[in-house]
Amino acid sequence: MSGFFSEALQALAAWPGAALLRRSSLAYLLLNAAHIASIGLIVGAIVPLDLRLVGLFRRHPLPVLASFLTRIAAVGVVLTVLTGVLLFSVRPAEYVANPAFLAKLGLIAIGAANALLLRRSRPWRSVAAGGPVHRRVRFAAVLSIVAWMGAVVAGRWIGFL
């Protein structure tokens, strides 16, 4: 690690909020629970939407589902990132050396980039307006399921390495 990066991690670990989380098992427990609940919002919104996009649950209209579930997932992502940064602050040097943590970050980046690129595409706008589901949208839905579920698995894996 470079000197600046190492110093930044040390400064984050020395932050009073991180110190509080290390001292208070209740605060850490509640924050961890909030992180898991936030992940539940993402998975609980994205997976059903992605499954609908790949062809399941056809009786449910995509324009209604897409609008509602993407908003829920976005809230989940914001809350997950916020709680995740706070959890990271407790032991930042250990986390950046953990391959599972790095895999989790990579999978989150893939899932988020996939969602942002898809939402800006013409095929997505067509689906959101009630049009047919294009192959590109189906592929993005499969990639989304793999990325987000992979991030969940990698997140659980962190504690085992």
Side-chain angles (χ1 to χ4, degrees), residues 46-94:
I46 287 299
V47 171
L49 177 58
D50 289 339
L51 291 174
R52 174 59 183 90
L53 290 170
V54 297
L56 299 175
F57 315 118
R58 291 179 189 261
R59 66 186 172 115
H60 299 286
L62 267 169
V64 174
L65 287 176
S67 175
F68 175 70
L69 292 177
T70 54
R71 287 186 188 128
I72 297 295
V75 168
V77 168
V78 169
L79 293 174
T80 300
V81 168
L82 291 174
T83 57
V85 168
L86 292 172
L87 289 169
F88 175 77
S89 74
V90 173
R91 296 186 325 230
E94 290 176 36

mmCIF file of all heavy atoms in Angstrom, residues 46-94:
data_model
loop_
_atom_site.group_PDB
_atom_site.id
_atom_site.type_symbol
_atom_site.label_atom_id
_atom_site.label_comp_id
_atom_site.label_asym_id
_atom_site.label_seq_id
_atom_site.Cartn_x
_atom_site.Cartn_y
_atom_site.Cartn_z
ATOM 1 N N ILE A 46 -34.456 -6.102 -6.805
ATOM 2 C CA ILE A 46 -33.799 -6.377 -8.081
ATOM 3 C C ILE A 46 -34.063 -7.788 -8.597
ATOM 4 O O ILE A 46 -34.332 -7.978 -9.775
ATOM 5 C CB ILE A 46 -32.273 -6.114 -7.964
ATOM 6 C CG1 ILE A 46 -32.033 -4.612 -7.899
ATOM 7 C CG2 ILE A 46 -31.492 -6.728 -9.100
ATOM 8 C CD1 ILE A 46 -32.494 -3.838 -9.107
ATOM 9 N N VAL A 47 -33.975 -8.778 -7.729
ATOM 10 C CA VAL A 47 -34.141 -10.156 -8.205
ATOM 11 C C VAL A 47 -35.529 -10.390 -8.807
ATOM 12 O O VAL A 47 -35.627 -10.918 -9.918
ATOM 13 C CB VAL A 47 -33.778 -11.188 -7.110
ATOM 14 C CG1 VAL A 47 -34.160 -12.602 -7.527
ATOM 15 C CG2 VAL A 47 -32.276 -11.121 -6.798
ATOM 16 N N PRO A 48 -36.624 -9.982 -8.150
ATOM 17 C CA PRO A 48 -37.930 -10.171 -8.804
ATOM 18 C C PRO A 48 -38.047 -9.421 -10.135
ATOM 19 O O PRO A 48 -38.609 -9.947 -11.104
ATOM 20 C CB PRO A 48 -38.935 -9.638 -7.784
ATOM 21 C CG PRO A 48 -38.230 -9.714 -6.479
ATOM 22 C CD PRO A 48 -36.782 -9.483 -6.783
ATOM 23 N N LEU A 49 -37.514 -8.210 -10.181
ATOM 24 C CA LEU A 49 -37.563 -7.456 -11.436
ATOM 25 C C LEU A 49 -36.741 -8.164 -12.519
ATOM 26 O O LEU A 49 -37.207 -8.328 -13.647
ATOM 27 C CB LEU A 49 -37.049 -6.031 -11.246
ATOM 28 C CG LEU A 49 -36.994 -5.174 -12.506
ATOM 29 C CD1 LEU A 49 -38.367 -5.062 -13.170
ATOM 30 C CD2 LEU A 49 -36.436 -3.800 -12.181
ATOM 31 N N ASP A 50 -35.546 -8.605 -12.167
ATOM 32 C CA ASP A 50 -34.710 -9.306 -13.140
ATOM 33 C C ASP A 50 -35.365 -10.605 -13.613
ATOM 34 O O ASP A 50 -35.315 -10.935 -14.801
ATOM 35 C CB ASP A 50 -33.318 -9.592 -12.556
ATOM 36 C CG ASP A 50 -32.473 -8.346 -12.417
ATOM 37 O OD1 ASP A 50 -32.753 -7.343 -13.104
ATOM 38 O OD2 ASP A 50 -31.518 -8.378 -11.623
ATOM 39 N N LEU A 51 -35.981 -11.324 -12.686
ATOM 40 C CA LEU A 51 -36.668 -12.560 -13.079
ATOM 41 C C LEU A 51 -37.832 -12.255 -14.026
ATOM 42 O O LEU A 51 -38.070 -13.000 -14.982
ATOM 43 C CB LEU A 51 -37.155 -13.318 -11.843
ATOM 44 C CG LEU A 51 -36.053 -13.934 -10.978
ATOM 45 C CD1 LEU A 51 -36.657 -14.526 -9.709
ATOM 46 C CD2 LEU A 51 -35.254 -14.973 -11.751
ATOM 47 N N ARG A 52 -38.524 -11.160 -13.780
ATOM 48 C CA ARG A 52 -39.603 -10.753 -14.700
ATOM 49 C C ARG A 52 -39.030 -10.401 -16.059
ATOM 50 O O ARG A 52 -39.589 -10.745 -17.101
ATOM 51 C CB ARG A 52 -40.380 -9.575 -14.099
ATOM 52 C CG ARG A 52 -41.427 -8.963 -15.015
ATOM 53 C CD ARG A 52 -42.482 -9.973 -15.438
ATOM 54 N NE ARG A 52 -43.437 -9.407 -16.362
ATOM 55 C CZ ARG A 52 -43.301 -9.421 -17.699
ATOM 56 N NH1 ARG A 52 -42.249 -9.970 -18.264
ATOM 57 N NH2 ARG A 52 -44.230 -8.877 -18.466
ATOM 58 N N LEU A 53 -37.882 -9.745 -16.079
ATOM 59 C CA LEU A 53 -37.259 -9.357 -17.346
ATOM 60 C C LEU A 53 -36.785 -10.558 -18.153
ATOM 61 O O LEU A 53 -36.783 -10.510 -19.381
ATOM 62 C CB LEU A 53 -36.083 -8.409 -17.091
ATOM 63 C CG LEU A 53 -36.461 -7.015 -16.600
ATOM 64 C CD1 LEU A 53 -35.226 -6.254 -16.142
ATOM 65 C CD2 LEU A 53 -37.226 -6.243 -17.671
ATOM 66 N N VAL A 54 -36.396 -11.631 -17.475
ATOM 67 C CA VAL A 54 -35.955 -12.819 -18.217
ATOM 68 C C VAL A 54 -37.125 -13.707 -18.620
ATOM 69 O O VAL A 54 -36.928 -14.703 -19.317
ATOM 70 C CB VAL A 54 -34.879 -13.649 -17.472
ATOM 71 C CG1 VAL A 54 -33.617 -12.841 -17.281
ATOM 72 C CG2 VAL A 54 -35.386 -14.211 -16.180
ATOM 73 N N GLY A 55 -38.348 -13.353 -18.211
ATOM 74 C CA GLY A 55 -39.507 -14.064 -18.718
ATOM 75 C C GLY A 55 -40.418 -14.704 -17.696
ATOM 76 O O GLY A 55 -41.459 -15.250 -18.065
ATOM 77 N N LEU A 56 -40.086 -14.665 -16.430
ATOM 78 C CA LEU A 56 -40.979 -15.213 -15.407
ATOM 79 C C LEU A 56 -41.994 -14.154 -14.987
ATOM 80 O O LEU A 56 -41.817 -12.968 -15.243
ATOM 81 C CB LEU A 56 -40.164 -15.667 -14.198
ATOM 82 C CG LEU A 56 -39.134 -16.762 -14.467
ATOM 83 C CD1 LEU A 56 -38.307 -17.024 -13.221
ATOM 84 C CD2 LEU A 56 -39.800 -18.042 -14.935
ATOM 85 N N PHE A 57 -43.062 -14.589 -14.345
ATOM 86 C CA PHE A 57 -44.101 -13.692 -13.791
ATOM 87 C C PHE A 57 -44.674 -12.752 -14.856
ATOM 88 O O PHE A 57 -44.883 -11.568 -14.617
ATOM 89 C CB PHE A 57 -43.543 -12.870 -12.615
ATOM 90 C CG PHE A 57 -42.726 -13.660 -11.635
ATOM 91 C CD1 PHE A 57 -41.395 -13.355 -11.428
ATOM 92 C CD2 PHE A 57 -43.282 -14.720 -10.941
ATOM 93 C CE1 PHE A 57 -40.630 -14.083 -10.539
ATOM 94 C CE2 PHE A 57 -42.528 -15.455 -10.053
ATOM 95 C CZ PHE A 57 -41.196 -15.141 -9.842
ATOM 96 N N ARG A 58 -44.967 -13.277 -16.015
ATOM 97 C CA ARG A 58 -45.417 -12.454 -17.150
ATOM 98 C C ARG A 58 -46.737 -11.731 -16.917
ATOM 99 O O ARG A 58 -47.012 -10.749 -17.591
ATOM 100 C CB ARG A 58 -45.520 -13.310 -18.413
ATOM 101 C CG ARG A 58 -44.187 -13.763 -18.923
ATOM 102 C CD ARG A 58 -44.359 -14.632 -20.176
ATOM 103 N NE ARG A 58 -43.121 -15.248 -20.557
ATOM 104 C CZ ARG A 58 -42.327 -14.790 -21.509
ATOM 105 N NH1 ARG A 58 -42.665 -13.727 -22.185
ATOM 106 N NH2 ARG A 58 -41.217 -15.424 -21.794
ATOM 107 N N ARG A 59 -47.526 -12.203 -15.990
ATOM 108 C CA ARG A 59 -48.822 -11.529 -15.783
ATOM 109 C C ARG A 59 -48.682 -10.201 -15.049
ATOM 110 O O ARG A 59 -49.625 -9.423 -14.975
ATOM 111 C CB ARG A 59 -49.807 -12.445 -15.071
ATOM 112 C CG ARG A 59 -49.435 -12.787 -13.673
ATOM 113 C CD ARG A 59 -50.417 -13.829 -13.097
ATOM 114 N NE ARG A 59 -49.919 -14.271 -11.814
ATOM 115 C CZ ARG A 59 -50.537 -14.049 -10.674
ATOM 116 N NH1 ARG A 59 -51.685 -13.434 -10.655
ATOM 117 N NH2 ARG A 59 -50.011 -14.471 -9.553
ATOM 118 N N HIS A 60 -47.497 -9.933 -14.506
ATOM 119 C CA HIS A 60 -47.258 -8.669 -13.803
ATOM 120 C C HIS A 60 -46.680 -7.645 -14.786
ATOM 121 O O HIS A 60 -45.666 -7.901 -15.420
ATOM 122 C CB HIS A 60 -46.300 -8.878 -12.628
ATOM 123 C CG HIS A 60 -46.841 -9.832 -11.611
ATOM 124 N ND1 HIS A 60 -47.849 -9.492 -10.737
ATOM 125 C CD2 HIS A 60 -46.544 -11.124 -11.355
ATOM 126 C CE1 HIS A 60 -48.143 -10.532 -9.984
ATOM 127 N NE2 HIS A 60 -47.363 -11.544 -10.333
ATOM 128 N N PRO A 61 -47.318 -6.497 -14.925
ATOM 129 C CA PRO A 61 -46.896 -5.510 -15.930
ATOM 130 C C PRO A 61 -45.534 -4.878 -15.599
ATOM 131 O O PRO A 61 -45.317 -4.350 -14.518
ATOM 132 C CB PRO A 61 -48.009 -4.459 -15.896
ATOM 133 C CG PRO A 61 -48.663 -4.626 -14.559
ATOM 134 C CD PRO A 61 -48.477 -6.048 -14.153
ATOM 135 N N LEU A 62 -44.639 -4.945 -16.567
ATOM 136 C CA LEU A 62 -43.295 -4.408 -16.381
ATOM 137 C C LEU A 62 -43.254 -2.908 -16.105
ATOM 138 O O LEU A 62 -42.477 -2.482 -15.260
ATOM 139 C CB LEU A 62 -42.422 -4.744 -17.583
ATOM 140 C CG LEU A 62 -41.639 -6.033 -17.427
ATOM 141 C CD1 LEU A 62 -41.006 -6.451 -18.739
ATOM 142 C CD2 LEU A 62 -40.599 -5.893 -16.351
ATOM 143 N N PRO A 63 -44.034 -2.091 -16.784
ATOM 144 C CA PRO A 63 -43.949 -0.652 -16.490
ATOM 145 C C PRO A 63 -44.220 -0.329 -15.013
ATOM 146 O O PRO A 63 -43.560 0.533 -14.439
ATOM 147 C CB PRO A 63 -45.004 -0.033 -17.400
ATOM 148 C CG PRO A 63 -45.114 -0.988 -18.536
ATOM 149 C CD PRO A 63 -44.926 -2.349 -17.922
ATOM 150 N N VAL A 64 -45.156 -1.021 -14.404
ATOM 151 C CA VAL A 64 -45.470 -0.783 -12.986
ATOM 152 C C VAL A 64 -44.342 -1.325 -12.110
ATOM 153 O O VAL A 64 -43.841 -0.636 -11.225
ATOM 154 C CB VAL A 64 -46.816 -1.436 -12.609
ATOM 155 C CG1 VAL A 64 -47.073 -1.333 -11.111
ATOM 156 C CG2 VAL A 64 -47.951 -0.803 -13.389
ATOM 157 N N LEU A 65 -43.939 -2.575 -12.357
ATOM 158 C CA LEU A 65 -42.882 -3.192 -11.555
ATOM 159 C C LEU A 65 -41.559 -2.444 -11.677
ATOM 160 O O LEU A 65 -40.881 -2.200 -10.678
ATOM 161 C CB LEU A 65 -42.670 -4.641 -11.986
ATOM 162 C CG LEU A 65 -43.743 -5.648 -11.595
ATOM 163 C CD1 LEU A 65 -43.413 -7.017 -12.187
ATOM 164 C CD2 LEU A 65 -43.869 -5.739 -10.089
ATOM 165 N N ALA A 66 -41.180 -2.116 -12.903
ATOM 166 C CA ALA A 66 -39.878 -1.494 -13.138
ATOM 167 C C ALA A 66 -39.747 -0.174 -12.395
ATOM 168 O O ALA A 66 -38.736 0.077 -11.735
ATOM 169 C CB ALA A 66 -39.648 -1.296 -14.630
ATOM 170 N N SER A 67 -40.742 0.649 -12.479
ATOM 171 C CA SER A 67 -40.693 1.956 -11.834
ATOM 172 C C SER A 67 -40.573 1.816 -10.320
ATOM 173 O O SER A 67 -39.723 2.443 -9.684
ATOM 174 C CB SER A 67 -41.941 2.754 -12.198
ATOM 175 O OG SER A 67 -41.970 3.966 -11.505
ATOM 176 N N PHE A 68 -41.425 0.996 -9.745
ATOM 177 C CA PHE A 68 -41.456 0.827 -8.298
ATOM 178 C C PHE A 68 -40.208 0.119 -7.772
ATOM 179 O O PHE A 68 -39.554 0.590 -6.843
ATOM 180 C CB PHE A 68 -42.718 0.045 -7.918
ATOM 181 C CG PHE A 68 -42.805 -0.295 -6.468
ATOM 182 C CD1 PHE A 68 -43.018 0.692 -5.515
ATOM 183 C CD2 PHE A 68 -42.682 -1.607 -6.044
ATOM 184 C CE1 PHE A 68 -43.099 0.381 -4.171
ATOM 185 C CE2 PHE A 68 -42.762 -1.935 -4.696
ATOM 186 C CZ PHE A 68 -42.979 -0.936 -3.761
ATOM 187 N N LEU A 69 -39.849 -1.012 -8.377
ATOM 188 C CA LEU A 69 -38.746 -1.814 -7.855
ATOM 189 C C LEU A 69 -37.375 -1.160 -8.064
ATOM 190 O O LEU A 69 -36.489 -1.323 -7.231
ATOM 191 C CB LEU A 69 -38.784 -3.218 -8.454
ATOM 192 C CG LEU A 69 -39.979 -4.070 -8.010
ATOM 193 C CD1 LEU A 69 -39.983 -5.426 -8.719
ATOM 194 C CD2 LEU A 69 -40.001 -4.247 -6.494
ATOM 195 N N THR A 70 -37.200 -0.410 -9.146
ATOM 196 C CA THR A 70 -35.909 0.260 -9.315
ATOM 197 C C THR A 70 -35.712 1.352 -8.261
ATOM 198 O O THR A 70 -34.598 1.568 -7.796
ATOM 199 C CB THR A 70 -35.739 0.855 -10.729
ATOM 200 O OG1 THR A 70 -36.837 1.706 -11.025
ATOM 201 C CG2 THR A 70 -35.633 -0.234 -11.775
ATOM 202 N N ARG A 71 -36.782 2.000 -7.863
ATOM 203 C CA ARG A 71 -36.673 3.008 -6.795
ATOM 204 C C ARG A 71 -36.327 2.358 -5.455
ATOM 205 O O ARG A 71 -35.494 2.869 -4.709
ATOM 206 C CB ARG A 71 -37.966 3.802 -6.676
ATOM 207 C CG ARG A 71 -38.159 4.768 -7.814
ATOM 208 C CD ARG A 71 -39.373 5.644 -7.590
ATOM 209 N NE ARG A 71 -39.623 6.409 -8.797
ATOM 210 C CZ ARG A 71 -40.784 6.465 -9.404
ATOM 211 N NH1 ARG A 71 -41.832 5.842 -8.922
ATOM 212 N NH2 ARG A 71 -40.924 7.174 -10.509
ATOM 213 N N ILE A 72 -36.972 1.246 -5.161
ATOM 214 C CA ILE A 72 -36.676 0.525 -3.913
ATOM 215 C C ILE A 72 -35.220 0.069 -3.919
ATOM 216 O O ILE A 72 -34.501 0.218 -2.923
ATOM 217 C CB ILE A 72 -37.614 -0.686 -3.745
ATOM 218 C CG1 ILE A 72 -39.064 -0.244 -3.619
ATOM 219 C CG2 ILE A 72 -37.187 -1.555 -2.556
ATOM 220 C CD1 ILE A 72 -39.371 0.564 -2.393
ATOM 221 N N ALA A 73 -34.766 -0.485 -5.036
ATOM 222 C CA ALA A 73 -33.378 -0.948 -5.136
ATOM 223 C C ALA A 73 -32.410 0.219 -4.981
ATOM 224 O O ALA A 73 -31.365 0.080 -4.327
ATOM 225 C CB ALA A 73 -33.153 -1.659 -6.462
ATOM 226 N N ALA A 74 -32.723 1.360 -5.559
ATOM 227 C CA ALA A 74 -31.843 2.525 -5.446
ATOM 228 C C ALA A 74 -31.716 2.977 -3.991
ATOM 229 O O ALA A 74 -30.623 3.292 -3.525
ATOM 230 C CB ALA A 74 -32.358 3.669 -6.324
ATOM 231 N N VAL A 75 -32.820 2.990 -3.267
ATOM 232 C CA VAL A 75 -32.776 3.324 -1.840
ATOM 233 C C VAL A 75 -31.906 2.301 -1.117
ATOM 234 O O VAL A 75 -31.076 2.653 -0.269
ATOM 235 C CB VAL A 75 -34.198 3.386 -1.237
ATOM 236 C CG1 VAL A 75 -34.161 3.448 0.288
ATOM 237 C CG2 VAL A 75 -34.962 4.579 -1.804
ATOM 238 N N GLY A 76 -32.078 1.029 -1.447
ATOM 239 C CA GLY A 76 -31.267 -0.018 -0.839
ATOM 240 C C GLY A 76 -29.788 0.164 -1.104
ATOM 241 O O GLY A 76 -28.960 -0.010 -0.199
ATOM 242 N N VAL A 77 -29.434 0.535 -2.330
ATOM 243 C CA VAL A 77 -28.017 0.752 -2.660
ATOM 244 C C VAL A 77 -27.448 1.904 -1.846
ATOM 245 O O VAL A 77 -26.359 1.799 -1.270
ATOM 246 C CB VAL A 77 -27.828 0.991 -4.180
ATOM 247 C CG1 VAL A 77 -26.432 1.496 -4.493
ATOM 248 C CG2 VAL A 77 -28.121 -0.282 -4.963
ATOM 249 N N VAL A 78 -28.171 3.006 -1.773
ATOM 250 C CA VAL A 78 -27.684 4.161 -1.010
ATOM 251 C C VAL A 78 -27.491 3.789 0.459
ATOM 252 O O VAL A 78 -26.443 4.069 1.051
ATOM 253 C CB VAL A 78 -28.643 5.363 -1.156
ATOM 254 C CG1 VAL A 78 -28.306 6.464 -0.160
ATOM 255 C CG2 VAL A 78 -28.597 5.901 -2.581
ATOM 256 N N LEU A 79 -28.479 3.140 1.055
ATOM 257 C CA LEU A 79 -28.370 2.754 2.464
ATOM 258 C C LEU A 79 -27.267 1.719 2.683
ATOM 259 O O LEU A 79 -26.554 1.769 3.691
ATOM 260 C CB LEU A 79 -29.710 2.223 2.974
ATOM 261 C CG LEU A 79 -30.837 3.242 3.069
ATOM 262 C CD1 LEU A 79 -32.158 2.560 3.442
ATOM 263 C CD2 LEU A 79 -30.487 4.339 4.061
ATOM 264 N N THR A 80 -27.112 0.798 1.747
ATOM 265 C CA THR A 80 -26.062 -0.221 1.861
ATOM 266 C C THR A 80 -24.684 0.409 1.787
ATOM 267 O O THR A 80 -23.782 0.037 2.550
ATOM 268 C CB THR A 80 -26.229 -1.292 0.768
ATOM 269 O OG1 THR A 80 -27.508 -1.917 0.935
ATOM 270 C CG2 THR A 80 -25.152 -2.352 0.853
ATOM 271 N N VAL A 81 -24.509 1.359 0.883
ATOM 272 C CA VAL A 81 -23.209 2.025 0.773
ATOM 273 C C VAL A 81 -22.913 2.815 2.055
ATOM 274 O O VAL A 81 -21.803 2.740 2.597
ATOM 275 C CB VAL A 81 -23.150 2.924 -0.480
ATOM 276 C CG1 VAL A 81 -21.932 3.830 -0.450
ATOM 277 C CG2 VAL A 81 -23.144 2.064 -1.740
ATOM 278 N N LEU A 82 -23.896 3.548 2.543
ATOM 279 C CA LEU A 82 -23.685 4.340 3.764
ATOM 280 C C LEU A 82 -23.337 3.450 4.963
ATOM 281 O O LEU A 82 -22.368 3.705 5.686
ATOM 282 C CB LEU A 82 -24.916 5.187 4.083
ATOM 283 C CG LEU A 82 -25.204 6.335 3.118
ATOM 284 C CD1 LEU A 82 -26.537 6.996 3.467
ATOM 285 C CD2 LEU A 82 -24.088 7.351 3.139
ATOM 286 N N THR A 83 -24.122 2.405 5.168
ATOM 287 C CA THR A 83 -23.838 1.517 6.297
ATOM 288 C C THR A 83 -22.554 0.734 6.062
ATOM 289 O O THR A 83 -21.800 0.480 7.009
ATOM 290 C CB THR A 83 -25.012 0.551 6.559
ATOM 291 O OG1 THR A 83 -25.290 -0.198 5.365
ATOM 292 C CG2 THR A 83 -26.258 1.298 7.011
ATOM 293 N N GLY A 84 -22.282 0.383 4.818
ATOM 294 C CA GLY A 84 -21.057 -0.346 4.503
ATOM 295 C C GLY A 84 -19.811 0.470 4.771
ATOM 296 O O GLY A 84 -18.812 -0.051 5.288
ATOM 297 N N VAL A 85 -19.835 1.745 4.447
ATOM 298 C CA VAL A 85 -18.688 2.620 4.725
ATOM 299 C C VAL A 85 -18.447 2.707 6.230
ATOM 300 O O VAL A 85 -17.302 2.660 6.695
ATOM 301 C CB VAL A 85 -18.893 4.020 4.100
ATOM 302 C CG1 VAL A 85 -17.876 5.021 4.626
ATOM 303 C CG2 VAL A 85 -18.825 3.932 2.581
ATOM 304 N N LEU A 86 -19.523 2.812 6.987
ATOM 305 C CA LEU A 86 -19.372 2.863 8.448
ATOM 306 C C LEU A 86 -18.799 1.551 8.989
ATOM 307 O O LEU A 86 -17.907 1.563 9.843
ATOM 308 C CB LEU A 86 -20.711 3.185 9.108
ATOM 309 C CG LEU A 86 -21.250 4.586 8.850
ATOM 310 C CD1 LEU A 86 -22.664 4.730 9.395
ATOM 311 C CD2 LEU A 86 -20.332 5.632 9.441
ATOM 312 N N LEU A 87 -19.274 0.433 8.492
ATOM 313 C CA LEU A 87 -18.730 -0.864 8.918
ATOM 314 C C LEU A 87 -17.269 -1.001 8.498
ATOM 315 O O LEU A 87 -16.443 -1.501 9.263
ATOM 316 C CB LEU A 87 -19.557 -2.014 8.332
ATOM 317 C CG LEU A 87 -20.951 -2.195 8.924
ATOM 318 C CD1 LEU A 87 -21.760 -3.183 8.087
ATOM 319 C CD2 LEU A 87 -20.872 -2.642 10.375
ATOM 320 N N PHE A 88 -16.950 -0.546 7.310
ATOM 321 C CA PHE A 88 -15.576 -0.594 6.800
ATOM 322 C C PHE A 88 -14.632 0.188 7.703
ATOM 323 O O PHE A 88 -13.488 -0.206 7.921
ATOM 324 C CB PHE A 88 -15.554 -0.026 5.377
ATOM 325 C CG PHE A 88 -14.188 0.099 4.777
ATOM 326 C CD1 PHE A 88 -13.517 -1.006 4.290
ATOM 327 C CD2 PHE A 88 -13.570 1.336 4.679
ATOM 328 C CE1 PHE A 88 -12.257 -0.901 3.724
ATOM 329 C CE2 PHE A 88 -12.308 1.465 4.120
ATOM 330 C CZ PHE A 88 -11.648 0.344 3.642
ATOM 331 N N SER A 89 -15.116 1.293 8.262
ATOM 332 C CA SER A 89 -14.267 2.169 9.077
ATOM 333 C C SER A 89 -13.740 1.486 10.339
ATOM 334 O O SER A 89 -12.748 1.922 10.907
ATOM 335 C CB SER A 89 -15.023 3.446 9.460
ATOM 336 O OG SER A 89 -16.002 3.178 10.458
ATOM 337 N N VAL A 90 -14.379 0.417 10.761
ATOM 338 C CA VAL A 90 -13.973 -0.276 11.981
ATOM 339 C C VAL A 90 -12.618 -0.957 11.817
ATOM 340 O O VAL A 90 -11.786 -0.919 12.722
ATOM 341 C CB VAL A 90 -15.061 -1.292 12.411
ATOM 342 C CG1 VAL A 90 -14.598 -2.140 13.580
ATOM 343 C CG2 VAL A 90 -16.351 -0.560 12.754
ATOM 344 N N ARG A 91 -12.392 -1.558 10.643
ATOM 345 C CA ARG A 91 -11.129 -2.273 10.376
ATOM 346 C C ARG A 91 -10.724 -2.102 8.910
ATOM 347 O O ARG A 91 -10.619 -3.086 8.169
ATOM 348 C CB ARG A 91 -11.281 -3.753 10.700
ATOM 349 C CG ARG A 91 -11.553 -4.049 12.136
ATOM 350 C CD ARG A 91 -11.561 -5.527 12.442
ATOM 351 N NE ARG A 91 -12.099 -6.341 11.363
ATOM 352 C CZ ARG A 91 -13.031 -7.272 11.520
ATOM 353 N NH1 ARG A 91 -13.507 -7.526 12.698
ATOM 354 N NH2 ARG A 91 -13.464 -7.972 10.499
ATOM 355 N N PRO A 92 -10.487 -0.890 8.462
ATOM 356 C CA PRO A 92 -10.255 -0.671 7.035
ATOM 357 C C PRO A 92 -9.021 -1.391 6.480
ATOM 358 O O PRO A 92 -9.080 -1.928 5.360
ATOM 359 C CB PRO A 92 -10.125 0.846 6.907
ATOM 360 C CG PRO A 92 -9.789 1.327 8.271
ATOM 361 C CD PRO A 92 -10.420 0.357 9.226
ATOM 362 N N ALA A 93 -7.935 -1.418 7.192
ATOM 363 C CA ALA A 93 -6.719 -2.063 6.677
ATOM 364 C C ALA A 93 -6.932 -3.564 6.498
ATOM 365 O O ALA A 93 -6.445 -4.155 5.527
ATOM 366 C CB ALA A 93 -5.536 -1.794 7.602
ATOM 367 N N GLU A 94 -7.678 -4.176 7.400
ATOM 368 C CA GLU A 94 -7.963 -5.604 7.280
ATOM 369 C C GLU A 94 -8.874 -5.878 6.086
ATOM 370 O O GLU A 94 -8.680 -6.862 5.365
ATOM 371 C CB GLU A 94 -8.602 -6.131 8.562
ATOM 372 C CG GLU A 94 -7.656 -6.182 9.736
ATOM 373 C CD GLU A 94 -8.358 -6.617 11.011
ATOM 374 O OE1 GLU A 94 -9.263 -7.481 10.943
ATOM 375 O OE2 GLU A 94 -7.999 -6.087 12.071
#
